[in-house]
Amino acid sequence: MVQNLENIGFTVIPFGQDLKNMSQPIKELMKLTLEGKLAHGGLGPALDEGQHFRPYGSCRHHLSE
């Protein structure tokens, strides 16, 4: 995927998904959440029929309602 993006002109910057790289973004996300500043269109959490959390990408049925 990186090569495809670079081939069409994008500059790709590596960004690891480890504690070192994600700590500050997660802190900011928590801050915005607690302040009620996140806009999510009123959608609830993505839950399946058994009320289990579903990771991002599996909640298309919520978006079509």
Side-chain angles (χ1 to χ4, degrees), residues 36-55:
K37 293 183 177 179
L38 293 181
H40 56 82
L43 297 174
L47 302 174
D48 64 14
E49 292 76 20
Q51 298 299 299
H52 299 101
F53 175 74
R54 299 298 298 254

Side-chain angles (χ1 to χ4, degrees), residues 3-64:
Q3 290 176 342
N4 290 341
L5 291 170
E6 290 174 335
N7 287 341
I8 59 174
F10 285 91
T11 301
V12 179
I13 301 169
F15 187 88
Q17 294 184 1
D18 55 12
L19 183 60
K20 180 182 86 171
N21 292 309
M22 296 302 291
S23 179
Q24 192 57 44
I26 293 298
K27 287 177 185 176
E28 182 66 15
L29 177 63
M30 179 62 79
K31 176 181 164 278
L32 294 172
T33 301
L34 294 173
E35 292 173 352
K37 293 183 177 179
L38 293 181
H40 56 82
L43 297 174
L47 302 174
D48 64 14
E49 292 76 20
Q51 298 299 299
H52 299 101
F53 175 74
R54 299 298 298 254
Y56 176 80
S58 60
C59 58
R60 272 184 248 120
H61 65 281
H62 290 279
L63 298 176
S64 62

